[in-house]
C-alpha cells in the first residue's frame, strides 16, 4: 500500500495517461491483497472516502491544480479514471467470496450443527399408506401401472365397448395426434386405476389379491372438490370361490380398521361397466357419528344423512375375465370382487380440509399442519 497520488508537473496527454495507468495498477494490486471483510472496508475507504480518499486527492491534485489550458484535457482523463476505479472498487463486492473460500480454514467446531427442517408426510400420501396397509395385513400385495394408458386397458378390457355411453361419464384427457392409430391403441391419461387389474391378470395367474394406488386424470376444472389429477386406490381379489359375502366382509373389516370399530357399513346398488352386481359402500359418518348433527349445527360432510359414501365396488363382470381367459381366468371357474376409492376425498374428510386445492398447491404453511 505504498501508492500515493503524485503531484503532476507535466499535463501532456502522455503524462496523464501514464499517471492514470499507475493509479489503476495500484488499485488492482491492492484489491488482489484483500482477504477479509475488514481488508475490504479499508480498501474501499482508502480509494473512495470523500474526505482524502485517493479519488478525492486525484481530483484535487490533477484537476484543480492543472493550468487553465490543460483543464479540459485533464478533466476528461480524470473522469475516465474515476469511472474505472469506481468500477474496480464496486466489483470488489464479489471478492468478498474470498472470505467464504477461506472460511473452512476457520471452522469453529464448538458451534452447533446445521438443523435441517424435518418434512411431513403429505396427507394424501399418509391416507394412501394407511389404506394400503390395512389391505396388506389381509394378504394383499401392491400393484402399479402406467399413467399414460391405451384405450384398450382403460376402457375396452374393462367392458366399456367403443361408443358405449359409460365412456362419457369419465371426462377423459386424450393424448393428441393419435387419430391414425386403431382406437384400442390410442393413448390417454388413465381415468381410473382399474387398467392395472387387467395388466396384473395378464401377468399373474389366479388367485390374485392386489391393491393399486396411483394418480388418475380427468378433464375436471379445479375447484373445492375436483382436480384434473387425483388419487385412487383400487382393489381386486380373484379366486375359485369368491362371493359377494367375501366382498362385504372384507370391506366391512377395512372400513372399521380405517375409521374406527364403531362405524357401520351399508351397501347400495349401483352400476359400473366392469362389475356386476355393483354397489356403493357407505359408512356411518365418522365426523358426527351417524347423527347428522354436530351439536346444534347440521353435519355438512354427510349432508345430515349420517352416512358417507366411500367407495364403489362389485363382483368382477365375467366379460372382464373374458379378456384374460387364456391366463387361467375362465369366468366359469373363477370369481372375484373389485373396489375403488378416491383417496383425496377421504383425506379431505379425515383431516377436515374444506378445499381439495390445498393438497396440490405445495404451500408449506398448509402442509406443516400435518407434521
Ligand atoms: Zn355427519
Amino acid at each position: 500500500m505504498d501508492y500515493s497520488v503524485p503531484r503532476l508537473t507535466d499535463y501532456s496527454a502522455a503524462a496523464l495517461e501514464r499517471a492514470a495507468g499507475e493509479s489503476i495498477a495500484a488499485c488492482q494490486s491492492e484489491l488482489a491483497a484483500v482477504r477479509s471483510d475488514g481488508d475490504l472496508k479499508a480498501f474501499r475507504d482508502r480509494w473512495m472516502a470523500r474526505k482524502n480518499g485517493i479519488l478525492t486527492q486525484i481530483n484535487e491534485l490533477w484537476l484543480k491544480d492543472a493550468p487553465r489550458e490543460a483543464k479540459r484535457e485533464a478533466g476528461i482523463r480524470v473522469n475516465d479514471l474515476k469511472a474505472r476505479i469506481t468500477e474496480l472498487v464496486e466489483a470488489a463486492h464479489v471478492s468478498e467470496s474470498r472470505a467464504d473460500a477461506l472460511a473452512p480454514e476457520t471452522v469453529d467446531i464448538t458451534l452447533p450443527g446445521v438443523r435441517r427442517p424435518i418434512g411431513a408426510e403429505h396427507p394424501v400420501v399418509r391416507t394412501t399408506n394407511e389404506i394400503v396397509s390395512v389391505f396388506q395385513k389381509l394378504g394383499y400385495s401392491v400393484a402399479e401401472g402406467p399413467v399414460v394408458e391405451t384405450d384398450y386397458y382403460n376402457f375396452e378390457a374393462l367392458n366399456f365397448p367403443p361408443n358405449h355411453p359409460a365412456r362419457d361419464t369419465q371426462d377423459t384427457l386424450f393424448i393428441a395426434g393419435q387419430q391414425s392409430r386403431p382406437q384400442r391403441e390410442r393413448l390417454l391419461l388413465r381415468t381410473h386405476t382399474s387398467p392395472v387389474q387387467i395388466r396384473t391378470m395378464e401377468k399373474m395367474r389366479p388367485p390374485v389379491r392386489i391393491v393399486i394406488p396411483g394418480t388418475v386424470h380427468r378433464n375436471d376444472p379445479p375447484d373445492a372438490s375436483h382436480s384434473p389429477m387425483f388419487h385412487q386406490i383400487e382393489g381386486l381379489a380373484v379366486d375359485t370361490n369368491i362371493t359377494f359375502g367375501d366382498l362385504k366382509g372384507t370391506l366391512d373389516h377395512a372400513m372399521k380398521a380405517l375409521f374406527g370399530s364403531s362405524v357401520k357399513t351399508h351397501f347400495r346398488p349401483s352400476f359400473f361397466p366392469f362389475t356386476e352386481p355393483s354397489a356403493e359402500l357407505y359408512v356411518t359418518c365418522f365426523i358426527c357419528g351417524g347423527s347428522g348433527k354436530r351439536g346444534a349445527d347440521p353435519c355438512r360432510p354427510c349432508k345430515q344423512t349420517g352416512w358417507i359414501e366411500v367407495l364403489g365396488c362389485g363382483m368382477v363382470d365375467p366379460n372382464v375375465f373374458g379378456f384374460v381367459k387364456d391366463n387361467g381366468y375362465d369366468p366359469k371357474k373363477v370369481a372375484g370382487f373389485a373396489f375403488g376409492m378416491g383417496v383425496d376425498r377421504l383425506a379431505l374428510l379425515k383431516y377436515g380440509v374444506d378445499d381439495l386445492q390445498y393438497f396440490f398447491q405445495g404451500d408449506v404453511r398448509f402442509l406443516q399442519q400435518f407434521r
Side-chain angles (χ1 to χ4, degrees):
M1 250 205 263
D2 43 9
Y3 176 76
S4 62
V5 185
R7 199 173 283 277
L8 297 184
T9 48
D10 181 355
Y11 282 90
S12 69
L16 283 165
E17 190 81 36
R18 189 169 350 101
E22 282 167 11
S23 184
I24 286 171
C27 183
Q28 282 169 333
S29 83
E30 287 180 25
L31 172 57
V34 166
R35 288 281 180 275
S36 66
D37 285 353
D39 290 353
L40 183 66
K41 185 175 182 309
F43 168 73
R44 284 200 181 129
D45 289 348
R46 178 167 147 78
W47 286 84
M48 305 295 287
R50 215 164 276 259
K51 195 179 170 192
N52 224 23
I54 288 176
L55 286 188
T56 306
Q57 291 179 41
I58 286 174
N59 220 39
E60 295 284 328
L61 295 176
W62 297 3
L63 197 55
K64 287 196 178 161
D65 292 358
R68 180 172 300 187
E69 66 278 7
K71 268 211 160 58
R72 196 171 164 274
E73 183 72 13
I76 293 169
R77 289 186 184 271
V78 166
N79 280 340
D80 180 52
L81 175 61
K82 279 160 75 178
R84 291 177 65 185
I85 286 183
T86 306
E87 199 180 325
L88 272 175
V89 175
E90 278 171 4
H93 281 290
V94 179
S95 64
E96 277 178 328
S97 65
R98 292 161 195 273
D100 295 341
L102 292 172
E105 295 175 18
T106 56
V107 163
D108 180 351
I109 58 166
T110 64
L111 287 173
V114 178
R115 197 175 293 248
R116 294 187 187 279
I118 295 172
E121 204 171 32
H122 192 284
V124 172
V125 173
R126 189 186 294 186
T127 306
T128 302
N129 290 343
E130 279 173 16
I131 297 169
V132 166
S133 92
V134 165
F135 286 97
Q136 279 179 324
K137 284 174 192 151
L138 292 172
Y140 284 63
S141 51
V142 174
E144 288 180 304
V147 175
V148 178
E149 260 301 358
T150 60
D151 184 283
Y152 175 77
Y153 284 109
N154 196 74
F155 288 125
E156 189 178 334
L158 291 163
N159 206 28
F160 290 83
N163 306 317
H164 192 278
R167 288 179 174 229
D168 297 338
T169 63
Q170 307 204 351
D171 292 312
T172 311
L173 291 162
F174 294 95
I175 306 287
Q178 303 283 307
Q179 284 74 11
S180 60
R181 294 184 166 194
Q183 178 158 13
R184 57 164 51 186
E185 289 174 22
R186 290 183 197 169
L187 298 175
L188 46 82
L189 296 179
R190 69 179 179 190
T191 56
H192 45 188
T193 41
S194 313
V196 186
Q197 294 188 16
I198 299 293
R199 288 182 173 277
T200 305
M201 288 193 284
E202 282 179 347
K203 280 184 289 195
M204 286 170 62
R205 298 177 67 84
V208 161
R209 280 175 183 76
I210 49 167
V211 276
I212 308 154
T215 54
V216 302
H217 293 77
R218 293 190 195 179
N219 188 18
D220 283 329
D223 65 22
S225 55
H226 293 86
S227 164
M229 184 282 301
F230 55 103
H231 300 80
Q232 282 190 340
I233 292 183
E234 186 111 358
L236 173 71
V238 183
D239 210 334
T240 49
N241 52 359
I242 290 202
T243 67
F244 202 88
D246 297 310
L247 161 67
K248 288 179 77 173
T250 303
L251 293 180
D252 184 73
H253 166 82
M255 294 305 115
K256 287 182 163 65
L258 282 171
F259 301 117
S261 54
S262 60
V263 299
K264 295 193 179 77
T265 53
H266 169 64
F267 292 80
R268 290 185 198 169
S270 183
F271 171 80
F272 304 106
F274 37 93
T275 48
E276 182 62 33
S278 303
E280 276 160 3
L281 170 61
Y282 288 72
V283 297
T284 42
C285 178
F286 40 84
I287 291 150
C288 64
S291 67
K293 284 200 166 65
R294 295 169 87 179
D297 298 328
C299 178
R300 276 171 52 204
C302 66
K303 302 187 182 90
Q304 302 180 63
T305 61
W307 293 94
I308 288 183
E309 189 215 328
V310 284
L311 56 78
C313 56
M315 300 304 289
V316 178
D317 192 302
N319 288 346
V320 172
F321 287 135
F323 287 94
V324 284
K325 198 174 172 182
D326 296 340
N327 200 26
Y329 294 88
D330 181 344
K332 292 195 181 69
K333 292 181 184 153
V334 296
F337 64 80
F339 56 89
M341 60 193 112
V343 181
D344 314 271
R345 198 173 138 264
L346 292 176
L348 284 181
L349 291 166
K350 191 170 170 185
Y351 294 106
V353 175
D354 55 15
D355 190 335
L356 179 60
Q357 298 308 314
Y358 288 131
F359 283 156
F360 306 132
Q361 284 164 346
D363 187 330
V364 74
R365 293 167 300 176
F366 170 76
L367 295 171
Q368 270 169 346
Q369 301 172 73
F370 300 96
R371 271 194 196 158

